[in-house]
Amino acid sequence: MSGHKQQYNFNKLQKRLRRHVGQAISDFNMIEDGDRIMVCLSGGKDSYTLLEILMNLKASAPVHFDLVAVNLDQKQPGFPEHVLPQYLDTLGVEYLVVNEDTYSIVKEKVPEGKTTCSLCSRLRRGILYRTATELKCNKIALGHHRDDILETLLLNMFYGGKMKAMPPKLVSDDGKHMVIRPLAYCREKDIIKYAEAREYPIIPCNLCGSQPNLQRQVIKEMLQTWDRQYPGRIETMFKALQNVVPSHLADTALFDFKGLSRDNTEGLEGDTAFDRENFSNPVVEDDEDGIEIDPALTLAVKAL
């Protein structure tokens, strides 16, 4: 591929990511004038992408907001503590590296062979909340993307018995901060391409990422398989999170089934919700970066 074509593809990819981030910020009112936002930087592809796009948007946004990049050094053996400061120095962004030995705590508390993610996440969350308060940040930006949100939905359905995902915006556990996920509309495969093109200095998580048979990894692989075999299915699944019909679920706290009668059905879909013609074909989102979707795959989707 020529250099011109590569630049063209990168520009379209960058434009798409910025558009998705801008749309999420607008839909959920994530950023307001005067915000001071702590951007959690792990050293992974998602948080690098998040920081760069927010910095770009800051330069052109109609409102003023400040960004502070924060990395939590959990004292994992072999962690390259020089990488992030060197990278952040080149950006000219305000940043802070917080040193907390959560690694030793996790290894002490979690039996050998058990996954460490849950305890690690709780410890990390508490430290980040405290840091946001110390930095006088009113919002905390995390790098979770659309695939993370869908994975969480399926994890809760399969293992937790709940219809619950990651919201793009929520109040922190301590009630002091707003947590936002500006990448909520972004596809992981787009972020992967972007990170590779930008050549971010990726730092792997050796504490938990190397552990086999994690439930989330199983779900991730299932979604990736669906995305390859049935283009558009993932887009349709995410759309469903924004198109909930409580009257056609079974949660009595969300809908008054006991009070339902033939006299108060206004606005309800009734049995028409199950009519075959109401199920549209999955929306196949064009990659827009020079990669054409195989027409045979599209025909296969329409045949479902």
Side-chain angles (χ1 to χ4, degrees):
M1 185 182 297
S2 67
H4 177 74
K5 182 65 173 179
Q6 286 181 326
Q7 186 62 47
Y8 172 78
N9 288 344
F10 173 79
N11 290 343
K12 298 201 78 171
L13 175 62
Q14 185 179 58
K15 180 180 178 181
R16 180 162 68 253
L17 286 171
R18 288 182 183 178
R19 183 177 72 248
H20 285 327
V21 171
Q23 189 62 56
I25 290 174
S26 174
D27 286 351
F28 298 96
N29 192 29
M30 291 184 182
I31 298 178
E32 301 170 279
D33 190 52
D35 279 346
R36 183 168 166 82
I37 304 170
M38 186 178 88
V39 183
C40 298
L41 197 65
S42 66
K45 66 184 188 321
D46 306 325
S47 58
Y48 277 127
T49 301
L50 172 64
L51 177 61
E52 180 173 331
I53 293 179
L54 287 181
M55 290 182 66
N56 290 337
L57 291 177
K58 173 178 165 60
S60 58
V63 297
H64 173 78
F65 60 92
D66 293 314
L67 300 173
V68 184
V70 171
N71 169 252
L72 172 58
D73 183 347
Q74 299 176 264
K75 299 306 174 184
Q76 298 168 334
F79 181 79
E81 58 185 28
H82 65 284
V83 171
L84 277 169
Q86 286 182 358
Y87 173 75
L88 292 169
D89 282 338
T90 67
L91 299 182
V93 67
E94 181 182 350
Y95 73 87
L96 174 69
V97 176
V98 180
N99 294 285
E100 292 281 353
D101 187 5
T102 62
Y103 177 84
S104 296
I105 297 174
V106 169
K107 300 305 286 186
E108 177 187 347
K109 300 294 184 182
V110 179
E112 190 68 28
K114 298 293 184 179
T115 58
T116 58
C117 300
S118 179
L119 177 58
C120 181
S121 295
R122 290 199 300 273
L123 293 171
R124 185 170 62 246
R125 193 159 58 239
I127 294 168
L128 291 174
Y129 289 166
R130 185 197 70 206
T131 302
T133 299
E134 293 171 353
L135 292 173
K136 294 181 171 56
C137 292
N138 64 315
K139 289 182 178 173
I140 301 172
L142 302 178
H144 298 116
H145 44 69
R146 187 193 66 182
D147 298 63
D148 289 323
I149 293 173
L150 285 175
E151 287 165 18
T152 303
L153 171 67
L154 295 180
L155 277 168
N156 278 305
M157 288 177 62
F158 294 171
Y159 303 107
K162 291 182 180 180
M163 290 284 288
K164 175 183 175 182
M166 279 181 179
K169 180 181 179 182
L170 75 156
V171 176
S172 61
D173 294 347
D174 62 3
K176 297 179 180 179
H177 311 94
M178 191 69 69
V179 177
I180 58 175
R181 295 183 169 100
L183 299 181
Y185 290 168
C186 298
R187 302 183 296 184
E188 183 176 25
K189 59 186 178 183
D190 283 344
I191 295 173
I192 291 173
K193 293 177 187 176
Y194 191 76
E196 289 174 348
R198 298 293 289 136
E199 296 182 338
Y200 292 135
I202 303 297
I203 302 174
C205 176
N206 295 320
L207 178 61
C208 57
S210 61
Q211 292 178 327
N213 302 320
L214 293 178
Q215 293 171 336
R216 182 173 290 274
Q217 185 61 34
V218 173
I219 297 295
K220 177 185 287 290
E221 291 173 359
M222 182 180 70
L223 287 172
Q224 290 173 345
T225 299
W226 284 352
D227 194 36
R228 289 191 301 269
Q229 295 181 348
Y230 310 107
R233 175 174 289 187
I234 305 303
E235 283 77 10
T236 303
M237 289 177 63
F238 189 82
K239 184 178 179 181
L241 286 175
Q242 301 174 296
N243 192 21
V244 179
V245 185
S247 64
H248 286 64
L249 295 175
D251 191 333
T252 57
L254 290 180
F255 186 79
D256 184 14
F257 289 98
K258 290 184 177 180
L260 181 64
S261 69
R262 290 173 296 179
D263 301 323
N264 64 351
T265 59
E266 184 177 354
L268 301 182
E269 295 182 13
D271 283 342
T272 60
F274 306 103
D275 288 351
R276 176 73 180 180
E277 58 267 25
N278 282 345
F279 294 111
S280 60
N281 293 322
V283 178
V284 181
E285 185 175 346
D286 190 347
D287 279 341
E288 298 181 10
D289 57 3
I291 299 176
E292 296 182 359
I293 295 175
D294 186 345
L297 292 179
T298 304
L299 289 174
V301 172
K302 291 182 178 179
L304 294 177

